[in-house]
């Protein structure tokens, strides 16, 4: 009995030591994540102009959202942006990663060049692309005129071309995704390619039947990250267009930010945030549900 009591005492001391070591994380999580999330859920049911105390109004914010034409416009803009930037970005990143995975001279230099833009701060990137998309002096339109295009697009000032311009710019930061793909490609067994070559498979069939199934968990990870990232697009369009022209590039998170900090409608902004979370969760759940049909894990 004494030995059992002593063992329990040691176990309790170890538990207390463990809790003491993780307590900074627990305190930080509660103070900066759990409490703000709980408060935002409560505020979404309140009229809260920030300078006054919140007043509980039930589902009024959510009913206002349903009847708000700007809400539907920013939602449509965000879905259009995601529908263009997400698949194109993933395909381009995967193609670049497969090319960079081949043994060529200067491989390290090419990988560095692809990754470098992701290290550039968002504001600096936005200022650079503002100049590139300048209708009169921008490098893109100068190049288009040089090849015979008489009336190149106005890009960010043109309601038709502003969205494609932002989608085009989104490919600037694919370096992180390329690096993740490259890490997955490094783990594809060489024996699988040798077997495919013996079976007479050409390069395209090797990619389709060997590379893609082998890195499908990596593709799934990048897909989930891309869903979250594209639905939360904010910084770059906010700097470059401010949502214009005619709200053609006014995205969901920009409207959320303006509602909270420009219009001081924190309750309404909280409702926007929870609807956005619900949309992200639904799309992520759909991706996870479909993954059982195309994601292959080793050992299963």
């Amino acid at each position: 009995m004494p030995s059992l009591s002593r063992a329990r005492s040691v176990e309790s001391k170890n538990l207390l030591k463990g809790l003491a070591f993780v307590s900074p994380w627990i305190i930080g999580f509660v103070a900066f994540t759990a409490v703000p999330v709980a408060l935002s859920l409560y505020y979404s049911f309140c009229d809260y102009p920030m300078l006054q105390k919140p007043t509980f109004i039930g589902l009024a914010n959510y009913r206002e959202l349903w009847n708000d034409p700007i809400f539907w416009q920013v939602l449509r803009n965000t879905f259009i942006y995601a529908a263009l930037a997400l698949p194109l970005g993933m395909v381009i990143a995967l193609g670049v990663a497969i090319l960079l995975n081949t043994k060529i001279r200067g491989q390290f230099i090419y990988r560095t060049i692809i990754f470098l833009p992701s290290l550039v701060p968002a504001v600096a990137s936005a200022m650079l692309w503002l100049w590139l998309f300048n209708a009169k002096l921008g490098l893109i339109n100068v190049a288009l005129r040089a090849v015979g295009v008489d009336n190149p697009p106005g890009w960010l000032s043109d309601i038709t071309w502003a969205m494609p311009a932002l989608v085009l710019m989104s490919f600037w930061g694919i370096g992180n995704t390329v690096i993740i793909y490259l890490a997955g490609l490094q783990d594809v067994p060489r024996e699988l390619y040798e077997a495919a070559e013996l079976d007479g498979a050409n390069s395209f069939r090797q990619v389709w039947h060997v590379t893609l199934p082998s890195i499908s968990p990596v593709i799934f990870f990048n897909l989930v990250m891309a869903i979250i990232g594209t639905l939360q697009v904010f910084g770059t369009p906010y700097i470059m267009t401010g949502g214009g022209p005619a709200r053609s590039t006014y995205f969901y998170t920009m409207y959320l930010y303006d509602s909270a900090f420009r219009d001081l409608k924190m309750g309404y902004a909280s409702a926007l945030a929870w609807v956005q979370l619900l949309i992200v969760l639904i799309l992520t759940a759909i991706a996870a549900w479909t993954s059982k049909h195309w994601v292959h894990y080793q050992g299963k």
Side-chain angles (χ1 to χ4, degrees), residues 61-78:
N61 284 326
Y62 292 95
R63 284 195 293 269
E64 185 180 348
L65 271 179
W66 183 261
N67 298 313
D68 184 356
I70 301 178
F71 166 74
W72 293 108
Q73 183 175 7
V74 297
L75 193 62
R76 182 173 61 252
N77 289 343
T78 304

Side-chain angles (χ1 to χ4, degrees), residues 26 33 107 114 166 269:
I26 294 175
T33 302
Q107 184 187 60
I114 291 296
L166 292 178

Side-chain angles (χ1 to χ4, degrees), residues 89 93 96-97 100 111-119 170-182:
V96 172
L100 292 178
R111 290 180 179 181
T112 304
I113 292 173
I114 291 296
F115 184 68
L116 273 180
S118 0
L119 300 178
S170 70
F171 305 146
W172 166 261
I174 62 172
N176 286 325
T177 307
V178 171
I179 293 299
I180 295 172
Y181 276 134
L182 273 173

